[in-house]
Amino acid sequence: MDKKIVIPGDLLSEDVKKSGYGTYVKNDKIYSSLCGIESLKEDKVGVIPLAGAYIPSVNDVVIGIVIVVTPSNWILDIAAPYDGLLHVSEYPRRVESREMPEILDVGDSVILRVRDVDSSMKIELALRDPNLHKLRTGQIVEVEPVKVPRVIGHGGSMISMLKKETNCSIFVGQNGRIWIDGKDDDIELLSKALRKIEAEAQRSGLTDRIYNFLKNERMKQKESKPVKFFKNEKKGVNVAKEDHSEDIYRKIDVLLDPKN
């Protein structure tokens, strides 16, 4: 069953203690303040917006694209209404002004952390962490920032499945930019899956649905190839490998579904 879509003013609950993101309380009742998907998690009721720009928060990890290089700063597009600023002092080592374009130039993509956001929306970025770095291979796919939780899945179930079934490396930025890397065919398949997740984000059982999509796409790719077998050493016969992944992912979704 698809999740419930609500609009501003829809009644969500009569227990004011459950008020969560995207709601407001009036006359001891909780109402939706956004157009989005009703979210019921633990003791909270909230609304996940269907659309909206990325608004940076401190410690968010994002993918930025360099748009300007100044004598002491790199200015990056972080898919937000405001650009981000990476000061040369936030690079892992000392850098001279003349070196800056050699290290990060216009068009380069980088994984960064949001260091600070002030009241005027000046966004300071940081690169002082082993997990933060320039992206040298792969490609970037952009989805709506509000769909990022669906790409990750409950407890990381979706992203774990995507990595396993496509043999790709994946990093999901909180600003809706997703870096993927692998073989060309695998990247193409993963890109299709991400677009499908974005388009069907409001539907329940999404991990299972995307798993089946990937399985069907793989079958199409292998239609002209013979089935691979391995030898059963005990019996000396050839048998096809069994795949229990579909059952596993379905069980994960059921266990992590807050309605169960």
Side-chain angles (χ1 to χ4, degrees):
M1 183 177 179
D2 293 348
K3 296 189 176 182
K4 182 181 177 182
I5 295 178
V6 297
I7 61 175
D10 278 358
L11 176 65
L12 301 178
S13 174
E14 295 184 2
D15 184 351
V16 295
K17 293 180 181 179
K18 293 185 176 181
S19 179
Y21 180 80
T23 70
Y24 66 92
V25 176
K26 183 178 181 181
N27 298 329
D28 294 326
K29 295 180 180 180
I30 301 175
Y31 297 90
S32 171
S33 62
L34 302 171
C35 179
I37 303 166
E38 182 180 24
S39 172
L40 303 172
K41 291 185 179 180
E42 299 176 353
D43 295 327
K44 293 290 183 182
V45 59
V47 180
I48 301 171
L50 290 175
Y54 166 66
I55 304 300
S57 296
V58 174
N59 289 326
D60 280 0
V61 179
V62 301
I63 295 177
I65 300 173
V66 179
I67 55 175
V68 177
V69 181
T70 74
S72 60
N73 293 281
W74 289 279
I75 300 175
L76 295 99
D77 167 13
I78 56 171
Y82 316 92
D83 295 329
L85 194 71
L86 175 64
H87 190 267
V88 69
S89 63
E90 289 300 324
Y91 193 76
R93 67 171 178 81
R94 181 181 176 81
V95 178
E96 298 294 336
S97 294
R98 65 178 183 278
E99 298 179 277
M100 291 180 64
E102 298 173 10
I103 294 171
L104 292 175
D105 204 359
V106 173
D108 286 343
S109 300
V110 195
I111 298 177
L112 314 103
R113 178 175 60 83
V114 177
R115 179 174 173 273
D116 186 55
V117 182
D118 66 17
S119 57
S120 65
M121 291 308 292
K122 178 183 177 183
I123 303 162
E124 297 182 18
L125 305 170
L127 203 56
R128 288 181 172 275
D129 187 301
N131 296 318
L132 308 175
H133 55 86
K134 177 180 176 179
L135 296 172
R136 302 179 185 278
T137 60
Q139 68 181 53
I140 294 173
V141 176
E142 295 197 24
V143 301
E144 293 181 50
V146 295
K147 306 293 177 64
V148 164
R150 296 297 269 161
V151 174
I152 296 172
H154 293 298
S157 60
M158 179 70 84
I159 194 169
S160 295
M161 183 273 289
L162 290 173
K163 289 178 179 179
K164 181 178 183 295
E165 299 302 324
T166 65
N167 302 311
C168 284
S169 298
I170 311 172
F171 173 79
V172 182
Q174 287 168 275
N175 58 340
R177 285 188 178 141
I178 303 171
W179 170 79
I180 60 178
D181 195 17
K183 296 180 180 178
D184 290 345
D185 288 347
D186 294 333
I187 287 178
E188 182 180 357
L189 180 59
L190 179 52
S191 297
K192 289 180 180 179
L194 291 171
R195 292 301 175 208
K196 190 172 180 66
I197 293 170
E198 182 180 31
E200 301 183 12
Q202 75 279 9
R203 306 188 72 172
S204 59
L206 192 58
T207 302
D208 189 49
R209 189 184 301 276
I210 296 301
Y211 170 78
N212 287 326
F213 168 77
L214 291 172
K215 186 176 180 180
N216 291 335
E217 289 296 311
R218 285 294 193 199
M219 289 297 291
K220 292 177 183 177
Q221 291 178 349
K222 297 178 180 179
E223 280 179 351
S224 59
K225 299 179 182 179
V227 178
K228 291 184 178 180
F229 293 89
F230 71 96
K231 188 172 183 179
N232 185 314
E233 294 180 358
K234 292 182 179 180
K235 297 182 179 180
V237 296
N238 291 333
V239 294
K241 290 184 178 180
E242 293 184 32
D243 186 356
H244 299 288
S245 299
E246 183 173 0
D247 289 336
I248 293 171
Y249 295 132
R250 183 180 292 109
K251 289 175 181 177
I252 291 174
D253 264 355
V254 170
L255 289 171
L256 294 175
D257 193 327
K259 293 181 180 179
N260 291 326

